[in-house]
Amino acid sequence: MKQGDICEQELNAIRDSLEVLGGKWKLRIMRHLNNHIGEINTFKKIQRSVEGISAKMLSKELQDLELNQLVCRTVQEAKLTTVRYDITDYGKSVFPVTESLISWGLNHKKRIQQGI
């Protein structure tokens, strides 16, 4: 494979990843779900935890995450119907990347604040 083809392939992979994970909310929603595994994560609970997100935006982002198999939506029928959201095993595969982003973001903030 030629160097130009490899570069194009890498750039396309970055674009595709950002299309799935990009934006203000998706990684924050996924992080909440990952930090609350084993708990019942209802829409309202997620909305309270992810500060500033509107119900409309949360609904859209959860649908996108479910479509991309990163989040699982489960309807539990009982006296009161409960809809819960959980991170999938596939969704957990994103976290090595996010750990690197967190580390970089913390270091970047410190660097900017110190005026380096």
Side-chain angles (χ1 to χ4, degrees):
M1 194 176 266
K2 292 190 281 184
Q3 186 64 29
D5 292 340
I6 292 170
C7 182
E8 183 178 346
Q9 211 173 30
E10 290 172 348
L11 293 174
N12 287 340
I14 290 170
R15 182 201 61 219
D16 294 345
S17 298
L18 289 175
E19 282 182 16
V20 173
L21 300 172
K24 185 176 181 178
W25 306 110
K26 286 187 179 100
L27 289 175
R28 292 173 65 188
I29 293 165
M30 291 178 65
R31 193 72 187 189
H32 166 83
L33 293 173
N34 192 61
N35 289 345
H36 294 88
I37 290 175
E39 299 176 23
I40 297 175
N41 291 293
T42 62
F43 186 91
K44 282 294 183 190
K45 181 177 180 182
I46 299 167
Q47 188 177 18
R48 281 191 302 272
S49 178
V50 180
E51 192 174 313
I53 192 167
S54 69
K56 183 178 179 179
M57 182 57 70
L58 179 56
S59 178
K60 178 197 171 302
E61 299 291 54
L62 285 169
Q63 287 174 0
D64 288 350
L65 291 168
E66 186 179 11
L67 178 69
N68 286 290
Q69 301 175 4
L70 301 170
V71 167
C72 177
R73 178 181 185 271
T74 307
V75 178
Q76 296 176 321
E77 299 290 340
K79 217 174 201 181
L80 295 173
T81 300
T82 304
V83 178
R84 66 179 290 163
Y85 296 89
D86 297 289
I87 190 140
T88 63
D89 287 339
Y90 182 59
K92 292 175 190 173
S93 72
V94 170
F95 289 106
V97 175
T98 62
E99 293 301 322
S100 294
L101 282 172
I102 289 167
S103 178
W104 186 88
L106 292 171
N107 289 330
H108 177 69
K109 184 175 184 175
K110 193 182 307 179
R111 178 183 178 97
I112 296 301
Q113 288 174 341
Q114 294 173 351
I116 297 174

